[in-house]
Amino acid sequence: MADNGGQDGGPAGKESINTEIVTLTRFLNEEQTKHREATGDFTLLCHALQFAFKSIAYYIRRASLINLSGLAGSSNTTGDEQKKLDVIGNDVFTAAMRSSGRVKALVSEEDEEVVVFGDKPHARYGVACDPIDGSSNLDAGVSVGTIFGIFRLPDDAEGTKEDFLRPATELVAAGFTMYGASTQLVLTMKDGPVNGFTMDNGLGEFILTHPDMHMPKKRAIYSCNEGNSKYWEAPVKEWCDEMKNAEKPYSSRYIGSMVADAYRTLLYGGIFAYPADKKSPKGKLRILYECGPMAMVFENAGGQAVDSKMRRMMTVVPEHIHDRSGIFLGSYEEVQKVIDKHKQHGITGS
């Protein structure tokens, strides 16, 4: 006879009830109470961010059902073909930032110029984002994400592009959301821990599931597009060849969506690389809203991030709001191997 769930006669597979769930809202409110000088503006901004993430996740889940797949028939400011969801994601994000009342200006991959919210004269923050990173993979159901960085602007800032041409060391917070089998949010604040949240669709809340994330110091996994190896510079080719020809070769894991590759690397260790090359001398990823925020997450989790000149990624100042860079980020010792290989070729990051 089948077990009916235990001696108490209860139902099989009873779910234990956790009444001390830490939601993102609770987490933010508790963090605010730790800072007596806090005005609540940053907390309200983060509440607006999570609404944007929930909305984008909703539309992505339903994209094929409500005719949101495919191209929108236009290109964004960086020349990429826009998906319908790129446009919707950008509109959702922009509306959320405007309605928060705490954002003076927004830089988005989808907008050529800075979006200034002129009716928010007392707003204190500037936000840089890629609303849907990896959207070329959307129609295939591959995980995509949102990457964001938050700056505290000077009190007299007008929200010009010059207000954003700053290194990631000046970010007050950064993170990303991955929309995949589940919706994952990774958030970190300046010099703080990295915390991971998972969207509970039943509750409609992000739940703290990965507190104080620390990545392994090393792991034999590499993630890069070797289809571009024909154009790589010598130290990058040598580094990659050494991993493949090691006594125990590295495992190759490449999804082609930065958020998905980065999240796996953050959890399991290893290295993600998208180097500049002869075809793209400045690199392909954007400094302000891709490389910089990701570098902050990885450094705060115990890893490293450098550009193709071996400069610490968080110190690189973009020349314009859509400036690009190569990047290597991941476990501390794995990135150090890239740095050491470049040193052999006289590239020191200085």
Side-chain angles (χ1 to χ4, degrees):
M1 182 179 290
D3 187 351
N4 69 357
Q7 295 180 349
D8 62 359
K14 285 195 305 181
E15 180 182 359
S16 60
I17 304 299
N18 179 8
T19 58
E20 288 298 323
I21 294 173
V22 179
T23 65
L24 178 58
T25 300
R26 172 180 169 180
F27 174 85
L28 292 169
N29 291 340
E30 290 178 353
E31 286 296 308
Q32 180 182 323
T33 62
K34 296 176 184 178
H35 303 275
R36 296 182 62 182
E37 74 283 4
T39 63
D41 285 358
F42 179 77
T43 302
L44 289 170
L45 167 55
C46 288
H47 290 329
L49 281 173
Q50 72 164 313
F51 174 77
F53 302 148
K54 291 176 183 179
S55 299
I56 293 171
Y58 170 79
Y59 287 120
I60 287 174
R61 287 197 307 271
R62 292 181 52 79
S64 295
L65 300 175
I66 56 176
N67 195 31
L68 291 180
S69 58
L71 296 172
S74 58
S75 299
N76 64 21
T77 182
T78 55
D80 299 326
E81 290 287 340
Q82 285 183 306
K83 297 281 187 175
K84 294 176 184 176
L85 273 167
D86 279 322
V87 177
I88 291 172
N90 188 56
D91 289 348
V92 165
F93 206 95
T94 302
M97 295 302 94
R98 178 185 291 110
S99 64
S100 75
R102 269 63 188 174
V103 178
K104 183 176 290 289
L106 171 70
V107 169
S108 168
E109 182 194 14
E110 307 302 329
D111 293 310
E112 184 174 358
E113 301 294 339
V114 178
V115 178
V116 181
F117 304 126
D119 59 338
K120 312 295 180 187
H122 302 297
R124 300 148 52 104
Y125 293 99
V127 176
C129 76
D130 185 349
I132 304 185
D133 179 78
S135 58
S136 61
N137 295 300
L138 271 170
D139 294 350
V142 176
S143 297
V144 298
T146 300
I147 309 173
F148 63 93
I150 304 172
F151 290 101
R152 171 69 164 86
L153 301 181
D155 291 338
D156 60 350
E158 297 182 1
T160 63
K161 61 184 179 181
E162 286 74 22
D163 292 322
F164 286 90
L165 301 183
R166 303 152 66 180
T169 51
E170 296 186 25
L171 288 169
V172 296
F176 60 87
T177 304
M178 187 183 76
Y179 312 105
S182 58
T183 299
Q184 305 286 337
L185 167 63
V186 174
L187 174 67
T188 191
M189 300 173 196
K190 189 176 182 67
D191 301 322
V194 177
N195 290 291
F197 301 81
T198 303
M199 183 67 186
D200 184 325
N201 291 319
L203 290 175
E205 293 281 358
F206 281 104
I207 308 299
L208 180 63
T209 52
H210 298 74
D212 198 10
M213 301 173 76
H214 288 277
M215 62 186 312
K217 289 290 184 183
K218 60 180 179 179
R219 187 73 184 273
I221 301 174
Y222 73 101
S223 175
C224 59
N225 185 357
E226 292 188 72
N228 290 328
S229 60
K230 172 182 178 180
Y231 307 104
W232 286 351
E233 300 294 342
V236 180
K237 288 183 179 179
E238 291 178 20
W239 159 74
C240 192
D241 288 342
E242 288 181 5
M243 290 189 295
K244 292 188 290 186
N245 296 315
E247 183 177 348
K248 184 180 179 181
Y250 279 50
S251 296
S252 176
R253 299 285 187 271
Y254 183 66
I255 299 170
S257 170
M258 184 190 189
V259 167
D261 280 308
Y263 187 61
R264 185 200 57 249
T265 303
L266 183 65
L267 288 179
Y268 303 148
I271 185 169
F272 168 78
Y274 207 128
D277 55 33
K278 295 172 185 175
K279 185 173 64 172
S280 303
K282 291 210 72 175
K284 291 283 288 183
L285 300 178
R286 276 57 61 123
I287 296 170
L288 191 57
Y289 43 81
E290 291 176 321
C291 298
M294 280 294 188
M296 183 175 181
V297 168
F298 274 74
E299 283 199 11
N300 285 0
Q304 285 197 85
V306 297
D307 71 358
S308 287
K309 298 178 181 178
M310 298 300 103
R311 297 176 297 184
R312 180 188 174 203
M313 191 71 246
M314 285 190 67
T315 65
V316 177
V317 180
E319 295 177 4
H320 55 84
I321 60 174
H322 299 295
D323 200 7
R324 299 174 184 257
S325 174
I327 193 170
F328 299 83
L329 57 78
S331 296
Y332 194 94
E333 293 185 18
E334 300 303 335
V335 177
Q336 191 60 46
K337 291 175 183 177
V338 178
I339 296 171
D340 293 342
K341 177 56 64 178
H342 280 74
K343 281 183 180 177
Q344 295 175 11
H345 289 259
I347 303 171
T348 62
S350 56

